[in-house]
């Protein structure tokens, strides 16, 4: 797994350095959960749903686009950190602004089984896409 994480982070770093790079991914499933407004506690995650959604990461302009039914555009404002998480994965966290001007976090994550994931976190909702590199 460390090799996959290293390769993923290396590719991301190289593309950020070299410019003129758009990374292409295909999301094949997604999930989400929301925060209960009354209690302030997070609801359980829903069941995974299949999808066939294109995802691009434009490293020149620091933009991530998810081409779901409603196109999601995220502008990366700042790279927060890269870390190993408690579930055995590794991730890079970024502050983002979406197409509506809302601020949240985006996490590029490789789980312990080498699955690439993109998490989008806002105060009242989180969603995640499992993605594959498009060659």
């Amino acid at each position: 797994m460390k090799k996959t994480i290293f390769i993923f982070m290396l590719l991301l770093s190289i593309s950020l350095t070299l410019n003129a790079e758009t990374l292409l991914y295909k999301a094949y499933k997604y999930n989400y959960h929301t925060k209960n407004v009354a209690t302030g506690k997070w609801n359980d995650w829903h069941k995974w749903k299949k999808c066939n959604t294109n995802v691009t990461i434009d490293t020149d302009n620091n933009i991530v686009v998810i081409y779901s039914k409603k196109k999601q555009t995220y502008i990366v404002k700042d790279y927060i950190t890269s870390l190993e998480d408690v579930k055995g994965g590794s991730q890079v966290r970024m502050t983002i602004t979406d197409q509506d001007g809302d601020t949240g976090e985006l996490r590029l994550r490789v789980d312990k089984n080498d699955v690439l994931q993109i998490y989008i976190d806002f105060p009242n909702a989180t969603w995640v896409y499992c993605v594959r590199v498009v060659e």
Side-chain angles (χ1 to χ4, degrees):
M1 179 176 122
K2 292 201 182 262
K3 183 178 179 182
T4 302
I5 294 167
F6 175 75
I7 292 170
F8 180 66
M9 299 305 174
L10 180 65
L11 288 173
L12 185 61
S13 298
I14 290 170
S15 62
L16 290 171
T17 304
L18 295 178
N19 293 329
E21 185 74 35
T22 298
L23 307 172
L24 305 174
Y25 297 90
K26 179 70 77 172
Y28 58 91
K29 67 180 179 177
Y30 71 96
N31 201 343
Y32 67 96
H33 73 149
T34 57
K35 189 180 275 189
N36 183 309
V37 179
T39 66
K41 294 182 180 180
W42 286 95
N43 298 313
D44 291 337
W45 285 92
H46 291 262
K47 292 184 180 182
W48 285 98
K49 294 185 181 185
K50 291 183 181 181
C51 66
N52 187 24
T53 305
N54 291 325
V55 177
T56 59
I57 300 177
D58 177 349
T59 58
D60 279 347
N61 299 303
N62 290 327
I63 297 174
V64 177
V65 180
I66 301 172
Y67 294 92
S68 55
K69 288 182 182 178
K70 180 184 176 196
K71 181 178 165 185
Q72 304 167 55
T73 303
Y74 303 103
I75 299 170
V76 176
K77 296 296 185 181
D78 190 25
Y79 290 88
I80 301 170
T81 187
S82 103
L83 55 100
E84 278 196 40
D85 59 38
V86 294
K87 294 187 178 183
S90 182
Q91 57 186 306
V92 176
R93 293 175 47 222
M94 300 161 233
T95 303
I96 55 164
T97 302
D98 71 5
Q99 66 279 344
D100 301 320
D102 298 321
T103 299
E105 284 188 10
L106 185 140
R107 293 181 279 146
L108 298 177
R109 182 174 185 267
V110 179
D111 81 1
K112 65 181 178 182
N113 299 315
D114 295 338
V115 175
L116 302 176
Q117 298 175 314
I118 299 174
Y119 278 81
I120 297 97
D121 300 310
F122 286 100
N124 294 318
T126 295
W127 50 101
V128 56
Y129 289 89
C130 291
V131 299
R132 291 185 183 101
V133 176
V134 175
E135 297 180 23

